[in-house]
Amino acid sequence: MPGFLLHVNAVMQCTHMGKATIAPSQPRVVVSGQPIATMASVIAVAGCAFTVPGPKPQPCVLVKWAMPSTRFLVAGQPAALVPGPGPGPGICQSVEQIPAGPPIVGVVQARVVGS
């Protein structure tokens, strides 16, 4: 499935408004001047205020991305793809790996498409 290459400055958040930040896993391949994310990139979430009944805090701390490129590898890792702004192809998780919904992608580069 084709999608835009995800880069480290893409604007993303969890469904509870915590800010997601992509740590660059490689510096060599760039798009719009920013390193692209691979499936090895860590996507951390900060500022999530999600609490389950009890009240037990279960903030989102990590995004597991689920849309790898099948044709484009960077340093042996598939590039991460995103279909466009809106709900992203991944799942936000708490420290206990409890799923908490998809990440919301706000801004992503729209020049380079991969598959």
Side-chain angles (χ1 to χ4, degrees):
M1 173 182 237
F4 301 112
L5 292 177
L6 186 64
H7 62 25
V8 298
N9 277 348
V11 177
M12 198 179 334
Q13 64 188 22
C14 72
T15 54
H16 316 105
M17 303 308 209
K19 183 180 180 197
T21 306
I22 304 168
S25 61
Q26 61 78 36
R28 301 188 108 191
V29 181
V30 296
V31 64
S32 297
Q34 302 299 318
I36 66 165
T38 67
M39 293 306 287
S41 298
V42 175
I43 306 173
V45 179
C48 177
F50 182 62
T51 302
V52 295
K56 180 180 179 190
Q58 285 293 326
C60 299
V61 296
L62 189 68
V63 176
K64 294 271 186 161
W65 204 253
M67 191 172 173
S69 172
T70 56
R71 296 183 176 189
F72 188 64
L73 301 178
V74 178
Q77 292 291 324
L81 301 178
V82 61
I91 193 79
C92 297
Q93 294 182 329
S94 69
V95 172
E96 297 174 0
Q97 296 184 347
I98 297 170
I104 307 300
V105 179
V107 178
V108 67
Q109 65 82 27
R111 292 182 150 208
V112 182
V113 176
S115 61

XYZ file of all heavy atoms in Angstrom:
806
model
N 0.846 -1.170 0.000
C 0.000 0.000 0.000
C 0.898 1.241 0.000
O 1.762 1.379 0.849
C -0.889 -0.031 1.237
C -1.681 1.219 1.431
S -2.671 1.159 2.935
C -4.251 1.436 2.227
N 0.715 2.146 -0.930
C 1.557 3.347 -0.977
C 1.199 4.327 0.138
O 0.089 4.353 0.640
C 1.262 3.948 -2.346
C -0.049 3.395 -2.746
C -0.205 2.075 -2.055
N 2.197 5.122 0.494
C 2.000 6.159 1.509
C 3.166 7.124 1.479
O 4.177 6.876 0.824
N 3.034 8.221 2.173
C 4.112 9.198 2.261
C 5.178 8.693 3.220
O 4.867 8.024 4.204
C 3.570 10.542 2.749
C 2.512 11.128 1.860
C 1.211 11.230 2.281
C 2.842 11.572 0.583
C 0.232 11.771 1.459
C 1.884 12.116 -0.251
C 0.573 12.213 0.185
N 6.445 9.025 2.934
C 7.511 8.668 3.862
C 7.365 9.508 5.118
O 7.226 10.729 5.047
C 8.887 8.909 3.228
C 9.262 7.997 2.065
C 10.620 8.403 1.511
C 9.292 6.549 2.498
N 7.380 8.860 6.264
C 7.273 9.545 7.546
C 8.635 10.117 7.907
O 9.646 9.431 7.786
C 6.820 8.547 8.611
C 6.507 9.090 10.000
C 5.318 10.048 9.951
C 6.216 7.939 10.942
N 8.697 11.377 8.304
C 9.975 11.965 8.703
C 9.930 12.370 10.182
O 8.869 12.373 10.807
C 10.381 13.126 7.814
C 9.449 14.305 7.818
N 8.621 14.615 8.849
C 9.246 15.260 6.903
C 7.944 15.708 8.583
N 8.302 16.116 7.393
N 11.101 12.690 10.733
C 11.196 12.903 12.178
C 10.491 14.159 12.674
O 10.220 14.260 13.864
C 12.664 12.891 12.666
C 13.301 11.556 12.398
C 13.465 13.998 12.046
N 10.176 15.098 11.822
C 9.460 16.295 12.262
C 7.977 16.261 11.923
O 7.314 17.305 11.958
C 10.101 17.567 11.697
C 11.269 18.019 12.536
O 11.466 17.531 13.639
N 12.061 18.927 12.016
N 7.447 15.100 11.605
C 6.009 14.984 11.376
C 5.291 15.328 12.683
O 5.759 14.974 13.770
C 5.653 13.569 10.937
N 4.186 16.018 12.591
C 3.417 16.398 13.777
C 2.425 15.279 14.070
O 1.597 14.929 13.228
C 2.682 17.739 13.554
C 1.824 18.088 14.757
C 3.682 18.849 13.259
N 2.554 14.717 15.274
C 1.736 13.574 15.638
C 1.413 13.643 17.130
O 2.195 14.178 17.909
C 2.552 12.303 15.350
C 1.771 11.054 15.254
S 2.772 9.573 14.885
C 4.175 10.150 14.027
N 0.259 13.097 17.507
C -0.125 13.048 18.920
C -0.954 11.804 19.181
O -1.476 11.198 18.253
C -0.899 14.300 19.320
C -2.221 14.455 18.610
C -2.861 15.797 18.891
O -2.198 16.746 19.253
N -4.163 15.870 18.717
N -1.072 11.442 20.450
C -1.954 10.327 20.792
C -3.385 10.866 20.829
O -3.605 12.073 20.749
C -1.547 9.703 22.131
S -1.912 10.702 23.591
N -4.351 9.993 20.962
C -5.750 10.429 20.962
C -6.102 11.245 22.207
O -7.143 11.877 22.241
C -6.699 9.223 20.853
O -6.385 8.300 21.890
C -6.584 8.547 19.516
N -5.217 11.251 23.215
C -5.453 12.000 24.452
C -4.662 13.303 24.483
O -4.482 13.896 25.532
C -5.081 11.132 25.654
C -5.576 9.742 25.529
N -4.748 8.676 25.224
C -6.829 9.233 25.606
C -5.464 7.578 25.148
N -6.723 7.887 25.367
N -4.131 13.705 23.328
C -3.413 14.964 23.113
C -1.974 14.965 23.618
O -1.379 16.026 23.771
C -4.161 16.156 23.714
C -5.557 16.307 23.178
S -5.565 16.309 21.386
C -6.957 17.280 21.054
N -1.391 13.812 23.887
C 0.035 13.750 24.212
C 0.848 13.898 22.937
O 0.477 13.368 21.884
N 1.953 14.631 22.993
C 2.762 14.895 21.801
C 3.693 13.720 21.511
O 4.444 13.283 22.378
C 3.574 16.164 21.994
C 4.374 16.518 20.769
C 5.177 17.768 20.946
C 5.913 17.989 19.639
N 6.988 18.866 19.688
N 3.665 13.246 20.273
C 4.533 12.152 19.845
C 5.759 12.721 19.144
O 5.656 13.632 18.329
C 3.785 11.216 18.903
N 6.918 12.186 19.478
C 8.183 12.621 18.904
C 8.918 11.420 18.332
O 9.070 10.408 19.017
C 9.061 13.290 19.988
O 8.315 14.332 20.600
C 10.328 13.854 19.388
N 9.375 11.552 17.091
C 10.083 10.459 16.430
C 11.580 10.672 16.593
O 12.114 11.705 16.187
C 9.728 10.395 14.934
C 8.217 10.259 14.750
C 10.473 9.249 14.261
C 7.753 10.479 13.336
N 12.257 9.700 17.188
C 13.715 9.770 17.330
C 14.343 9.284 16.028
O 13.991 8.217 15.532
C 14.175 8.896 18.488
N 15.257 10.056 15.449
C 15.872 9.624 14.194
C 16.701 8.357 14.402
O 17.473 8.266 15.347
C 16.748 10.802 13.779
C 16.836 11.698 14.952
C 15.754 11.340 15.904
N 16.498 7.382 13.533
C 17.262 6.136 13.634
C 18.372 6.082 12.592
O 19.215 5.199 12.650
C 16.332 4.930 13.476
O 15.713 4.959 12.208
N 18.352 7.011 11.645
C 19.393 7.080 10.624
C 19.486 8.515 10.122
O 18.479 9.197 10.017
C 19.092 6.097 9.477
C 17.782 6.340 8.737
C 17.870 7.499 7.752
O 18.891 7.702 7.119
N 16.806 8.257 7.624
N 20.690 9.012 9.820
C 20.841 10.394 9.390
C 21.058 10.576 7.890
O 21.128 11.696 7.414
C 22.095 10.845 10.145
C 22.922 9.607 10.193
C 21.940 8.468 10.324
N 21.134 9.501 7.127
C 21.578 9.596 5.737
C 20.485 9.922 4.728
O 20.721 10.646 3.776
C 22.256 8.292 5.326
C 23.444 7.982 6.195
C 24.180 6.827 5.669
N 25.420 7.368 5.110
C 26.251 6.697 4.377
N 26.005 5.462 4.070
N 27.338 7.268 3.933
N 19.316 9.366 4.897
C 18.241 9.583 3.925
C 17.300 10.634 4.487
O 16.727 10.455 5.562
C 17.484 8.275 3.618
C 16.388 8.517 2.600
C 18.451 7.202 3.131
N 17.143 11.742 3.741
C 16.306 12.835 4.212
C 15.229 13.162 3.186
O 15.380 12.912 1.990
C 17.137 14.104 4.518
C 18.108 13.855 5.645
C 17.857 14.606 3.300
N 14.140 13.723 3.678
C 13.067 14.221 2.837
C 12.618 15.533 3.469
O 12.489 15.624 4.692
C 11.914 13.201 2.699
C 11.245 12.928 4.018
C 10.901 13.646 1.681
N 12.465 16.563 2.656
C 12.151 17.907 3.148
C 13.178 18.354 4.196
O 12.839 19.043 5.150
C 10.741 17.954 3.742
O 9.787 17.662 2.753
N 14.423 17.919 4.049
C 15.498 18.309 4.953
C 15.516 17.577 6.284
O 16.320 17.891 7.139
N 14.633 16.615 6.470
C 14.535 15.883 7.730
C 14.791 14.392 7.499
O 14.342 13.836 6.499
C 13.146 16.055 8.345
C 12.761 17.476 8.618
C 13.708 18.132 9.604
O 14.112 17.542 10.589
N 14.076 19.367 9.320
N 15.491 13.725 8.427
C 15.698 12.285 8.281
C 14.356 11.552 8.264
O 13.435 11.915 8.991
C 16.500 11.900 9.531
C 17.084 13.167 10.024
C 16.144 14.262 9.610
N 14.259 10.526 7.443
C 13.024 9.743 7.426
C 13.037 8.744 8.573
O 14.091 8.362 9.075
C 12.790 9.026 6.081
C 13.847 7.963 5.828
C 12.708 10.009 4.941
C 13.463 7.006 4.729
N 11.863 8.341 8.981
C 11.713 7.347 10.041
C 11.703 5.965 9.412
O 11.171 5.776 8.319
C 10.420 7.590 10.805
N 12.311 5.027 10.106
C 12.251 3.632 9.684
C 11.426 2.868 10.721
O 11.038 3.420 11.759
C 13.658 3.007 9.575
O 14.223 2.924 10.881
C 14.548 3.817 8.647
N 11.209 1.599 10.469
C 10.457 0.795 11.423
C 11.254 0.579 12.709
O 10.702 0.156 13.713
C 10.050 -0.533 10.789
C 9.050 -0.371 9.653
S 7.562 0.562 10.090
C 6.720 -0.624 11.117
N 12.560 0.911 12.694
C 13.383 0.820 13.903
C 13.338 2.111 14.716
O 13.853 2.155 15.831
C 14.821 0.492 13.531
N 12.733 3.154 14.187
C 12.651 4.430 14.904
C 11.732 4.307 16.113
O 10.692 3.649 16.058
C 12.106 5.526 13.991
O 12.955 5.746 12.907
N 12.117 4.956 17.193
C 11.302 4.983 18.406
C 10.413 6.220 18.352
O 10.888 7.328 18.126
C 12.188 5.024 19.667
C 11.345 5.184 20.920
C 13.052 3.780 19.747
N 9.123 6.014 18.549
C 8.171 7.118 18.583
C 7.662 7.228 20.017
O 6.864 6.412 20.471
C 7.010 6.904 17.591
C 7.542 6.647 16.179
C 6.072 8.104 17.614
C 6.478 6.263 15.171
N 8.174 8.216 20.734
C 7.827 8.414 22.141
C 6.687 9.418 22.271
O 6.558 10.325 21.461
C 9.043 8.909 22.911
N 5.869 9.240 23.294
C 4.746 10.145 23.565
C 4.962 10.782 24.935
O 5.293 10.093 25.900
C 3.396 9.390 23.549
C 2.244 10.333 23.866
C 3.176 8.706 22.218
N 4.785 12.099 25.014
C 4.909 12.825 26.276
C 3.673 13.695 26.478
O 3.109 14.214 25.525
C 6.156 13.697 26.261
N 3.248 13.831 27.710
C 2.141 14.718 28.029
C 0.761 14.106 27.922
O -0.238 14.815 27.962
N 0.663 12.792 27.814
C -0.640 12.126 27.753
C -1.223 12.055 29.162
O -0.533 11.689 30.110
C -0.497 10.726 27.163
S -2.052 9.798 27.132
N -2.493 12.369 29.290
C -3.148 12.391 30.603
C -4.184 11.283 30.762
O -5.056 11.375 31.625
C -3.799 13.749 30.814
N -4.092 10.225 29.978
C -5.097 9.160 30.025
C -5.059 8.440 31.370
O -4.006 8.086 31.886
C -4.873 8.163 28.895
C -5.901 7.067 28.847
C -7.233 7.359 28.638
C -5.527 5.748 29.018
C -8.182 6.348 28.584
C -6.464 4.735 28.964
C -7.800 5.036 28.751
N -6.234 8.220 31.951
C -6.380 7.508 33.219
C -7.530 6.519 33.082
O -8.591 6.872 32.582
C -6.688 8.497 34.367
O -5.634 9.447 34.431
C -6.810 7.792 35.692
N -7.316 5.284 33.529
C -8.383 4.288 33.516
C -9.150 4.391 34.832
O -8.642 4.922 35.814
C -7.835 2.854 33.309
C -7.220 2.721 31.940
C -6.862 2.447 34.381
N -10.381 3.872 34.872
C -11.150 3.932 36.123
C -10.367 3.285 37.262
O -9.750 2.259 37.110
C -12.418 3.152 35.806
C -12.555 3.259 34.330
C -11.149 3.284 33.797
N -10.420 3.940 38.381
C -9.706 3.391 39.527
C -9.208 4.440 40.488
O -9.339 4.265 41.658
N -8.714 5.539 40.215
C -8.108 6.037 38.986
C -6.647 5.594 38.900
O -5.858 5.829 39.806
C -8.212 7.546 39.104
C -8.145 7.796 40.587
C -8.768 6.574 41.237
N -6.324 4.950 37.823
C -4.957 4.488 37.597
C -4.432 5.169 36.338
O -4.961 4.959 35.251
C -4.930 2.976 37.409
C -3.532 2.450 37.176
C -3.525 0.947 36.990
C -2.106 0.489 36.732
N -2.060 -0.901 36.324
N -3.381 5.968 36.459
C -2.816 6.604 35.266
C -2.280 5.558 34.284
O -1.585 4.636 34.682
C -1.680 7.467 35.809
C -1.951 7.602 37.268
C -2.691 6.373 37.674
N -2.635 5.692 33.036
C -2.148 4.819 31.958
C -1.786 5.679 30.757
O -2.317 5.485 29.661
C -3.208 3.794 31.552
C -3.398 2.669 32.518
C -2.185 1.755 32.587
O -1.484 1.522 31.612
N -1.921 1.250 33.761
N -0.872 6.645 30.919
C -0.558 7.528 29.799
C 0.117 6.784 28.656
O 0.849 5.819 28.871
C 0.385 8.554 30.422
C 1.028 7.835 31.555
C -0.040 6.915 32.077
N -0.147 7.241 27.461
C 0.543 6.704 26.286
C 2.008 7.122 26.377
O 2.301 8.277 26.691
C -0.065 7.265 25.000
S -1.802 6.870 24.778
N 2.915 6.200 26.130
C 4.345 6.516 26.174
C 5.068 6.114 24.895
O 6.197 6.522 24.674
C 5.051 5.858 27.383
C 4.517 6.404 28.682
C 4.927 4.352 27.329
N 4.411 5.329 24.054
C 5.069 4.784 22.875
C 4.047 4.558 21.766
O 2.887 4.252 22.040
C 5.713 3.447 23.237
C 6.628 2.780 22.249
C 7.910 3.586 22.084
C 6.975 1.382 22.726
N 4.484 4.727 20.527
C 3.646 4.397 19.370
C 4.324 3.256 18.621
O 5.494 3.350 18.277
C 3.472 5.608 18.422
C 2.689 5.193 17.180
C 2.782 6.755 19.128
N 3.601 2.176 18.420
C 4.088 1.065 17.598
C 3.552 1.296 16.186
O 2.348 1.238 15.962
C 3.562 -0.281 18.125
C 4.084 -0.642 19.469
C 5.363 -1.403 19.337
C 5.775 -1.865 20.713
N 6.705 -2.912 20.724
N 4.449 1.582 15.253
C 4.045 1.893 13.883
C 3.754 0.602 13.141
O 4.404 -0.414 13.361
C 5.133 2.701 13.184
C 4.578 3.515 12.073
C 4.724 3.298 10.739
C 3.764 4.678 12.191
N 4.051 4.254 10.021
C 3.445 5.110 10.899
C 3.250 5.376 13.276
C 2.657 6.225 10.654
C 2.474 6.483 13.031
C 2.179 6.895 11.734
N 2.792 0.622 12.227
C 2.354 -0.610 11.580
C 2.255 -0.517 10.062
O 1.536 -1.300 9.456
C 0.992 -1.019 12.155
N 2.962 0.418 9.445
C 2.904 0.523 7.989
C 4.317 0.629 7.421
O 4.789 1.713 7.111
C 2.067 1.719 7.554
C 1.747 1.742 6.081
S 0.564 3.070 5.732
C 0.539 3.020 3.958
N 5.001 -0.528 7.277
C 6.347 -0.510 6.705
C 6.299 -0.486 5.181
O 5.360 -0.987 4.565
C 6.954 -1.817 7.200
C 5.782 -2.733 7.307
C 4.626 -1.857 7.730
N 7.331 0.074 4.595
C 7.480 0.016 3.148
C 7.927 -1.393 2.771
O 8.735 -2.002 3.466
C 8.533 1.029 2.690
O 8.804 0.853 1.314
N 7.410 -1.899 1.674
C 7.832 -3.226 1.210
C 8.943 -3.122 0.170
O 9.573 -4.121 -0.146
C 6.646 -3.987 0.593
O 6.088 -3.202 -0.461
C 5.593 -4.281 1.645
N 9.199 -1.921 -0.328
C 10.193 -1.743 -1.391
C 11.353 -0.836 -1.040
O 12.353 -0.819 -1.729
C 9.519 -1.178 -2.636
C 8.511 -2.104 -3.217
C 7.950 -1.507 -4.468
N 7.046 -2.433 -5.097
C 6.542 -2.264 -6.271
N 6.835 -1.184 -6.974
N 5.726 -3.150 -6.781
N 11.233 -0.040 0.012
C 12.235 0.967 0.313
C 12.872 0.681 1.667
O 12.225 0.792 2.703
C 11.568 2.349 0.308
C 12.518 3.497 0.411
C 13.445 3.749 -0.586
C 12.493 4.329 1.514
C 14.320 4.813 -0.493
C 13.361 5.394 1.621
C 14.284 5.629 0.618
N 14.154 0.285 1.641
C 14.889 -0.001 2.866
C 15.949 1.072 3.098
O 16.575 1.548 2.157
C 15.577 -1.364 2.785
C 14.696 -2.584 2.548
C 15.543 -3.832 2.440
C 13.673 -2.731 3.652
N 16.159 1.415 4.352
C 17.209 2.348 4.747
C 18.030 1.643 5.818
O 17.495 1.277 6.863
C 16.621 3.655 5.316
C 17.728 4.585 5.758
C 15.722 4.322 4.295
N 19.314 1.422 5.524
C 20.203 0.702 6.443
C 19.603 -0.643 6.841
O 19.684 -1.065 7.982
C 20.520 1.552 7.663
N 18.963 -1.293 5.890
C 18.386 -2.611 6.130
C 17.026 -2.614 6.801
O 16.444 -3.672 7.006
N 16.494 -1.445 7.138
C 15.191 -1.339 7.794
C 14.164 -0.753 6.833
O 14.469 0.181 6.103
C 15.274 -0.432 9.025
C 16.077 -0.993 10.154
C 15.379 -2.175 10.789
O 14.158 -2.216 10.911
N 16.161 -3.159 11.184
N 12.938 -1.277 6.838
C 11.898 -0.676 5.999
C 11.578 0.747 6.460
O 11.550 1.026 7.658
C 10.681 -1.568 6.213
C 11.169 -2.784 6.905
C 12.454 -2.442 7.572
N 11.358 1.628 5.503
C 10.933 2.990 5.828
C 9.512 2.942 6.387
O 8.720 2.072 6.028
C 10.980 3.864 4.580
N 9.194 3.872 7.274
C 7.844 3.982 7.824
C 7.012 4.848 6.883
O 7.449 5.911 6.456
C 7.880 4.586 9.223
N 5.823 4.383 6.559
C 4.921 5.100 5.665
C 3.686 5.561 6.420
O 3.283 4.943 7.410
C 4.488 4.198 4.506
C 5.578 3.625 3.619
C 4.962 2.708 2.563
C 6.371 4.727 2.955
N 3.074 6.626 5.935
C 1.836 7.143 6.510
C 0.897 7.486 5.355
O 1.323 8.088 4.371
C 2.115 8.357 7.429
C 2.741 9.494 6.680
C 0.871 8.799 8.148
N -0.377 7.089 5.413
C -1.283 7.372 4.305
C -1.605 8.846 4.134
O -1.972 9.275 3.051
C -2.541 6.570 4.642
C -2.433 6.213 6.063
C -0.997 6.287 6.456
N -1.471 9.640 5.166
C -1.761 11.075 5.110
C -2.185 11.563 6.475
O -2.164 10.814 7.449
N -2.568 12.831 6.583
C -3.037 13.343 7.868
C -4.285 12.597 8.334
O -5.069 12.104 7.530
C -3.358 14.804 7.569
C -2.530 15.139 6.375
C -2.481 13.873 5.566
N -4.435 12.512 9.640
C -5.564 11.798 10.237
C -5.065 10.644 11.079
O -3.897 10.595 11.444
N -5.939 9.689 11.392
C -5.506 8.541 12.185
C -4.380 7.783 11.468
O -4.478 7.485 10.280
C -6.760 7.678 12.296
C -7.882 8.615 12.046
C -7.359 9.648 11.092
N -3.321 7.520 12.198
C -2.160 6.847 11.614
C -2.234 5.342 11.752
O -2.995 4.816 12.564
N -1.428 4.634 10.960
C -1.419 3.177 10.995
C -0.516 2.654 12.117
O 0.576 2.160 11.888
C -0.866 2.802 9.625
C 0.059 3.924 9.312
C -0.564 5.148 9.912
N -0.948 2.811 13.306
C -0.173 2.357 14.447
C -1.056 2.310 15.666
O -2.265 2.516 15.587
N -0.434 2.033 16.803
C -1.189 1.976 18.047
C -0.367 2.618 19.161
O 0.823 2.367 19.275
C -1.590 0.518 18.399
C -2.631 0.471 19.495
C -0.400 -0.320 18.747
C -4.004 0.748 19.001
N -1.005 3.479 19.926
C -0.361 4.083 21.096
C -0.456 3.084 22.239
O -1.463 2.384 22.381
C -1.063 5.378 21.485
S -0.989 6.660 20.220
N 0.607 3.026 23.048
C 0.631 2.073 24.149
C 1.122 2.734 25.430
O 1.939 3.652 25.397
C 1.557 0.902 23.830
C 1.084 0.044 22.696
C 2.015 -1.128 22.453
O 3.205 -1.050 22.669
N 1.449 -2.219 21.988
N 0.642 2.185 26.563
C 1.118 2.635 27.874
C 2.382 1.865 28.224
O 2.833 1.002 27.461
C 0.037 2.376 28.929
O -0.105 0.984 29.139
N 2.940 2.145 29.387
C 4.131 1.435 29.846
C 3.860 -0.066 29.935
O 4.724 -0.881 29.657
C 4.596 1.988 31.218
C 5.705 1.153 31.811
C 5.034 3.423 31.079
N 2.643 -0.425 30.315
C 2.255 -1.832 30.441
C 1.825 -2.430 29.099
O 1.258 -3.509 29.057
C 1.145 -1.966 31.472
C 1.575 -1.548 32.860
C 0.430 -1.534 33.851
O -0.719 -1.854 33.472
O 0.679 -1.200 35.012
N 2.061 -1.720 28.008
C 1.735 -2.108 26.640
C 0.237 -2.303 26.412
O -0.186 -3.120 25.611
C 2.508 -3.353 26.221
C 3.999 -3.115 26.195
C 4.765 -4.307 25.679
O 4.255 -5.416 25.551
N 6.029 -4.084 25.375
N -0.555 -1.516 27.131
C -1.999 -1.529 26.934
C -2.312 -0.608 25.765
O -1.927 0.563 25.770
C -2.733 -1.065 28.204
C -2.452 -2.046 29.343
C -4.224 -0.908 27.957
C -2.919 -1.577 30.692
N -2.987 -1.104 24.711
C -3.289 -0.260 23.561
C -4.293 0.831 23.910
O -5.217 0.612 24.681
C -3.873 -1.230 22.532
C -4.222 -2.458 23.276
C -3.450 -2.473 24.552
N -4.074 2.022 23.331
C -4.926 3.166 23.660
C -5.375 3.932 22.424
O -5.639 5.112 22.490
C -4.180 4.088 24.618
N -5.437 3.288 21.286
C -5.933 3.952 20.084
C -4.830 4.352 19.130
O -3.649 4.299 19.457
N -5.222 4.766 17.931
C -4.227 5.135 16.919
C -3.656 6.522 17.152
O -4.309 7.374 17.746
C -5.035 5.114 15.615
C -6.412 5.495 16.056
C -6.588 4.863 17.416
N -2.431 6.758 16.683
C -1.895 8.117 16.745
C -2.599 8.990 15.707
O -3.078 8.491 14.688
C -0.424 7.924 16.391
C -0.401 6.706 15.547
C -1.504 5.828 16.055
N -2.665 10.269 15.974
C -3.271 11.218 15.045
C -2.137 12.005 14.387
O -1.374 12.683 15.065
C -4.231 12.190 15.766
C -5.258 11.421 16.599
C -4.897 13.125 14.768
C -6.133 10.480 15.820
N -2.034 11.889 13.070
C -0.983 12.570 12.316
C -1.558 13.894 11.829
O -2.585 13.922 11.150
C -0.505 11.712 11.125
C 0.569 12.441 10.341
C 0.000 10.366 11.612
N -0.885 14.991 12.181
C -1.360 16.312 11.797
C -0.683 16.822 10.533
O -1.341 17.218 9.589
N 0.639 16.809 10.517
C 1.398 17.335 9.379
C 2.459 16.317 8.998
O 3.179 15.813 9.842
C 2.072 18.676 9.738
C 2.891 19.186 8.581
C 1.035 19.708 10.157
N 2.525 16.025 7.710
C 3.536 15.128 7.169
C 3.929 15.648 5.795
O 3.112 16.297 5.123
C 3.014 13.673 7.126
C 1.895 13.522 6.132
C 4.118 12.691 6.851
N 5.155 15.382 5.382
C 5.578 15.840 4.054
C 4.750 15.118 2.989
O 4.379 13.972 3.159
C 7.087 15.607 3.856
C 7.525 14.165 3.842
C 7.326 13.490 2.496
O 7.333 14.123 1.444
N 7.134 12.194 2.524
N 4.449 15.798 1.912
C 3.605 15.215 0.864
C 4.308 15.177 -0.495
O 3.659 15.126 -1.528
C 2.300 16.005 0.759
N 5.643 15.166 -0.489
C 6.379 15.162 -1.752
C 6.827 13.768 -2.175
O 6.864 13.472 -3.348
C 7.609 16.047 -1.638
C 7.281 17.496 -1.518
C 8.528 18.313 -1.471
N 8.241 19.599 -2.050
C 9.118 20.343 -2.632
N 10.365 19.978 -2.721
N 8.779 21.497 -3.152
N 7.217 12.931 -1.223
C 7.800 11.632 -1.547
C 6.868 10.526 -1.102
O 6.497 10.446 0.062
C 9.186 11.459 -0.901
C 9.796 10.133 -1.300
C 10.095 12.611 -1.272
N 6.504 9.669 -2.040
C 5.605 8.549 -1.783
C 6.408 7.257 -1.928
O 7.228 7.121 -2.823
C 4.420 8.548 -2.777
C 3.536 7.334 -2.564
C 3.623 9.824 -2.635
N 6.173 6.331 -1.021
C 6.800 5.008 -1.082
C 5.727 3.937 -1.084
O 4.558 4.202 -0.872
N 6.175 2.727 -1.335
C 5.229 1.607 -1.258
C 5.892 0.417 -0.636
O 7.081 0.367 -0.442
C 4.693 1.252 -2.616
O 5.730 0.848 -3.477
